[in-house]
Amino acid sequence: MDTSVLVDILQRYVFNVANLQGMLRLSTPVILAGLCALITARAGILNIAGEGMILFGAWFAVAGSYYTQNSYVGLAVAILSGLVVGGLFALFSLKFGANIIVMGIAINIFAVSATIFMTRIVFGVAGSFMHPNIQGFSPIHIPLIKDIPILGGILSGYTFPVYLTWLLVLLTTIFLYRTPWGIHLRAVGESPEAARTQGINVERVRFLSVMASGVFASLAGSYLSLGHMVGFFDQMSAGRGFIGMAVNTFGGGEPVGVFLSSLLFGLTDTIGFRLQGERIIPIYFISMLPYFVTLIALTYFTIRKAQVAKAVFKKKAAQAEAER
Amino acid sequence: MPSKTTKTSVLLKSSQMFKLILMQLSGLFRKSLNVIMAILAAAVVGSILMLIVGRNPFVVYRLLFQNAFGSERALFITMQRATPLIFTAISSSIAFRTGVFNVGVEGQFFIGAIAGTFVGYAFQLPMILHLPLSLLAGFLGGAAWAYIPTLMRQKLGISEIITTIMTNYIATFLISWLTNYPMRETPLVAETPIVQNTARIPQFVNLNPNLAKGTQAHLGIFIALAVVIITWYIFKYTKLGYQWRMVGLSALFSEFGGINMDKTFIGGMLVSGGIAGLGGVVEILGVWRRYKDLFATGFGFKGNLASLLGGQSIIGSTIAAIFYGGLEAGALGLEWSTGIPRQLIDIVVGLIIFFMAAQGMWSFLNKLKLKNGKPGEGMMAFVKRMFTPKRKEETL
């Protein structure tokens, strides 16, 4: 394949404004799910309930928007549901000593059936719930930025949660590295015993981190049901909670890493959509790619870490030998 | 006098025996008490849900029971729903007992199913060879799919939970591709060709038209029960089972005791994956007879829950799987006759799991009670403590 063809393909499928916009849109729920995984992972908790919490968030966002016809009320209701579900999850798994993975699996199954059940009982429909009363988020055009030639098209014209997500990535970074609470959180994640001897309330930090993950997940859910689509569909989270875990691992547990690797996911999604009609390569392989890369990255990082640790150990041993 | 002593010793022995049996029984009772309490509590919360919806819980529960165990047909439907769950529950129990969380049962189930389907339709063999070969393909497929996460965990120490979730998704997309492109039979639907007659597990209806009318129950249940008995025997009476259990209880201790960790651990996980895959192929050969893309989901996760419900023991998780299958069958009938969504059952099972976890809740409340020195105020103290901010100065 000569380079001009490659450039042409790249331009057609990757680097054009519509594609990049799609990438940023599709990566939004993934970023939020990634932050949901990140905030608990940094506190030393493996939280697999993100999937279920996203579903609850999506449902309650729709319910809030349906009854008040205001998308922002929907968002608020979703955040509230995230706090409640996250709080209950934390209560059972951290205070009552239930295994957190068990609780995660239970909540995921529970969320799927509970949302289907509630859709049928409250709204009286099965499968999907769409209604003109549900207000979705409307796009916001940022005054100055939208007039910049190409960047304006890429950076402006999204709905509120998209901007909120970008802001949250920034805020999470600041929180983790520039605030005492963030330092406490990281300390708890790295060595709970050491943190405890420093007078940090480990249980409380973990409790709050799980609640925060509930909020991130519900934001992801509300974007899915009020921004990405308008309405609730059964199992509309479609594995994004787990993708969030992959993104967090792949991004090395850093908010910016989560952001960048989510863009990768968003990109594969958009390319998948574009290629669906073209039949160059089955989309399934493109969809599979991020998971595959995560596995490989995990293996590589772990081996690398072990090698570095070994090298440091050897160096120290040599030093000690020389000193003697 | 020898006769007297022997008599007393016999007496002693029998009383000791009696005590021993009593202890065993009470231990069993205590073990299952938690589950029973959880089920009762979930039933109560479930009834409140039904009252909110405007149904009479007693009627609903009676219908549920009738549709699950009340008639011959109901029993067969329960059997059909329980068969795959038994496999996945046993699979997750084995993993649990060797100290791993196999969240990948879901993916292993599907890979086993597609591998068995391929052998089932692609070869022309006599039944006596074809059926076992298909089952074997399913077992190997599931085991192969469990191999990579296991290796990553054992050799590199990477959490199996993340890796198995990743492999679940890879499995889903791989199978979607297989059923959409290479294995596709017709351009209309994404499904494989139908398996040969020689590879099918007979349904009860095929054997005797009067036996299980209108159900898809199949003889795969006997394969499931055989797996239950074999794994139970291995765990209870063989060196291998002992090693698996020890590794699950304390990996460090068993390594110190001279158990080959790699062999034992990886072996346990492979068997776990293999049984999940076997469940997948049995479901295909018995019920579906061809692989439809995305034909069913959730067997793996439900198996995980059933295993937890059954206390992660082989017999316990089998009973739990049958119970879960019965609830599902009952819920199907319920939806049919009254229009109550069948998801109600997954909600109830979720509640049961939550309340089983509440085992820690009672002791948590008790601890609070002791601390405050006022018996009976545990709940209030708990609520108070939840809502009062702690002051650091006081503790310093």
Side-chain angles (χ1 to χ4, degrees):
Chain A
M1 197 186 289
D2 86 74
T3 41
S4 65
V5 176
L6 194 70
V7 168
D8 181 48
I9 285 180
L10 277 179
Q11 246 178 9
R12 213 154 18 120
Y13 294 115
V14 186
F15 294 111
N16 59 53
V17 173
N19 255 6
L20 292 177
Q21 268 196 338
M23 174 182 85
L24 285 170
R25 267 199 211 104
L26 284 171
S27 61
T28 299
V30 180
I31 298 172
L32 288 168
L35 290 178
C36 157
L38 178 138
I39 202 81
T40 41
R42 289 309 282 269
I45 297 170
L46 192 54
N47 171 11
I48 67 169
E51 183 76 10
M53 300 203 271
I54 290 175
L55 261 182
F56 274 123
W59 195 90
F60 280 104
V62 162
S65 179
Y66 173 70
Y67 284 115
T68 63
Q69 292 165 34
N70 183 337
S71 53
Y72 295 94
V73 175
L75 188 71
V77 173
I79 290 175
L80 206 66
S81 84
L83 278 174
V84 170
V85 176
L88 282 177
F89 181 46
L91 189 69
F92 272 82
S93 49
L94 300 175
K95 294 271 179 192
F96 298 164
N99 187 318
I100 196 150
I101 307 293
V102 173
M103 285 304 293
I105 296 176
I107 281 194
N108 287 343
I109 291 189
F110 186 77
V112 171
S113 14
T115 47
I116 294 176
F117 188 80
M118 291 193 297
T119 310
R120 284 190 54 176
I121 297 300
V122 179
F123 303 130
V125 291
S128 61
F129 176 61
M130 285 178 290
H131 197 277
N133 274 5
I134 307 173
Q135 287 294 317
F137 293 108
S138 43
I140 299 169
H141 296 280
I142 307 173
L144 278 173
I145 295 173
K146 75 166 194 246
D147 299 328
I148 307 170
I150 298 168
L151 268 180
I154 297 172
L155 290 180
S156 177
Y158 298 104
T159 51
F160 172 69
V162 179
Y163 298 119
L164 183 67
T165 305
W166 296 349
L167 192 67
L168 279 175
V169 172
L170 197 71
L171 286 181
T172 315
T173 317
I174 294 171
F175 169 79
L176 277 180
Y177 293 100
R178 290 280 181 271
T179 64
W181 305 300
I183 292 166
H184 286 188
L185 184 89
R186 285 188 292 137
V188 167
E190 271 163 34
S191 168
E193 287 81 13
R196 197 171 279 127
T197 56
Q198 288 295 312
I200 298 173
N201 189 337
V202 174
E203 280 72 30
R204 190 167 61 186
V205 169
R206 288 195 161 156
F207 202 102
L208 291 177
S209 86
V210 171
M211 284 183 80
S213 83
V215 171
F216 282 128
S218 61
L219 284 176
S222 57
Y223 178 72
L224 284 177
S225 64
L226 295 181
H228 187 60
M229 300 171 191
V230 180
F232 184 82
F233 303 86
D234 289 353
Q235 305 200 32
M236 74 183 309
S237 55
R240 283 193 180 78
F242 295 126
I243 296 174
M245 290 174 70
V247 164
N248 174 41
T249 326
F250 190 56
E254 302 290 336
V256 177
V258 164
F259 181 75
L260 293 176
S261 42
S262 300
L263 290 188
L264 188 71
F265 269 83
L267 192 67
T268 54
D269 265 8
T270 38
I271 294 177
F273 277 126
R274 292 277 181 279
L275 286 185
Q276 227 159 4
E278 302 271 337
R279 295 186 176 276
I280 295 175
I281 176 174
I283 48 163
Y284 304 107
F285 287 106
I286 296 170
S287 317
M288 202 192 291
L289 204 66
Y291 304 99
F292 217 73
V293 173
T294 303
L295 278 185
I296 292 168
L298 259 180
T299 316
Y300 174 77
F301 288 141
T302 316
I303 292 175
R304 186 87 196 107
K305 220 190 245 170
Q307 278 175 345
V308 168
K310 214 173 176 182
V312 168
F313 181 77
K314 263 189 186 162
K315 206 174 158 189
K316 276 192 180 157
Q319 259 176 8
E321 194 74 13
E323 274 168 26
R324 211 167 55 146
Chain B
M1 288 190 193
S3 65
K4 202 180 175 184
T5 50
T6 44
K7 205 177 176 188
T8 50
S9 75
V10 165
L11 263 175
L12 244 174
K13 251 187 196 162
S14 66
S15 74
Q16 270 177 339
M17 278 287 278
F18 185 67
K19 251 186 193 169
L20 209 72
I21 290 170
L22 214 67
M23 264 170 68
Q24 285 272 327
L25 273 179
S26 72
L28 200 71
F29 181 67
R30 220 175 296 150
K31 252 194 240 165
S32 47
L33 188 68
N34 183 29
V35 182
I36 293 166
M37 289 297 287
I39 290 174
L40 283 179
V44 170
V45 177
S47 341
I48 294 170
L49 259 178
M50 287 166 209
L51 283 175
I52 292 172
V53 177
R55 309 278 178 160
N56 183 350
F58 291 103
V59 176
V60 173
Y61 282 125
R62 207 195 62 219
L63 273 173
L64 193 69
F65 188 79
Q66 266 180 4
N67 282 312
F69 305 105
S71 66
E72 192 194 287
R73 183 164 173 274
L75 277 174
F76 276 111
I77 294 179
T78 295
M79 187 193 287
Q80 185 239 318
R81 305 292 293 189
T83 308
L85 288 178
I86 293 176
F87 284 104
T88 49
I90 295 287
S91 162
S92 16
S93 287
I94 292 176
F96 277 134
R97 293 291 280 278
T98 46
V100 208
F101 239 109
N102 189 359
V103 192
V105 175
E106 185 94 2
Q108 292 143 16
F109 184 88
F110 291 128
I111 290 289
I114 194 89
T117 314
F118 176 73
V119 174
Y121 75 76
F123 295 100
Q124 299 272 5
L125 292 165
M127 186 168 187
I128 197 135
L129 272 176
H130 203 173
L131 187 56
L133 213 61
S134 307
L135 294 177
L136 183 71
F139 186 89
L140 290 180
W145 208 248
Y147 186 62
I148 299 164
T150 315
L151 214 59
M152 284 173 80
R153 150 90 191 241
Q154 186 58 13
K155 298 284 181 197
L156 301 170
I158 299 170
S159 162
E160 74 281 4
I161 293 161
I162 291 179
T163 53
T164 46
I165 288 172
M166 298 299 119
T167 49
N168 277 349
Y169 277 95
I170 296 175
T172 317
F173 288 120
L174 188 69
I175 289 173
S176 283
W177 173 68
L178 284 173
T179 47
N180 273 292
Y181 294 97
M183 289 186 173
R184 192 169 182 147
E185 192 191 21
T186 60
L188 288 175
V189 202
E191 56 186 25
T192 65
I194 207 155
V195 295
Q196 311 280 349
N197 269 328
T198 47
R200 293 181 191 174
I201 296 171
Q203 293 183 349
F204 286 105
V205 187
N206 307 4
L207 299 180
N208 179 355
N210 293 325
L211 192 53
K213 220 181 265 175
T215 74
Q216 290 180 306
H218 52 92
L219 297 181
I221 185 76
F222 295 113
I223 303 175
L225 292 180
V227 167
V228 170
I229 292 167
I230 293 168
T231 45
W232 176 77
Y233 180 83
I234 289 176
F235 263 106
K236 194 102 184 169
Y237 294 111
T238 66
K239 192 179 146 200
L240 183 70
Y242 177 74
Q243 286 179 344
W244 281 351
R245 274 186 289 150
M246 284 303 114
V247 170
L249 285 176
S250 167
L252 277 176
F253 177 78
S254 33
E255 192 166 21
F256 184 69
I259 293 177
N260 184 340
M261 286 295 289
D262 285 1
K263 227 166 118 185
T264 314
F265 177 83
I266 294 176
M269 266 303 277
L270 291 189
V271 171
S272 164
I275 289 175
L278 193 61
V281 68
V282 166
E283 178 74 2
I284 289 284
L285 299 181
V287 180
W288 298 84
R289 270 75 194 272
R290 59 163 39 148
Y291 200 109
K292 285 187 170 73
D293 191 16
L294 308 172
F295 75 101
T297 51
F299 280 121
F301 291 122
K302 282 174 187 168
N304 282 338
L305 288 190
S307 162
L308 292 164
L309 209 59
Q312 300 163 19
S313 72
I314 301 294
I315 303 294
S317 49
T318 309
I319 294 170
I322 293 170
F323 174 70
Y324 205 146
L327 282 182
E328 281 198 330
L332 276 178
L334 199 65
E335 188 172 27
W336 226 74
S337 54
T338 66
I340 295 176
R342 66 174 183 280
Q343 280 76 24
L344 182 71
I345 272 338
D346 286 326
I347 294 178
V348 171
V349 171
L351 286 173
I352 295 175
I353 297 284
F354 295 152
F355 284 116
M356 270 177 75
Q359 187 183 15
M361 180 159 80
W362 305 126
S363 61
F364 182 78
L365 293 179
N366 275 341
K367 243 187 281 170
L368 280 182
K369 193 164 63 186
L370 283 177
K371 221 180 225 169
N372 293 355
K374 286 175 206 152
E377 284 195 357
M379 195 55 128
M380 282 313 294
F382 173 68
V383 172
K384 250 187 230 162
R385 216 171 105 177
M386 282 288 290
F387 287 100
T388 46
K390 267 180 202 159
R391 282 186 220 142
K392 258 210 172 134
E393 299 83 43
E394 283 181 2
T395 53
L396 283 173

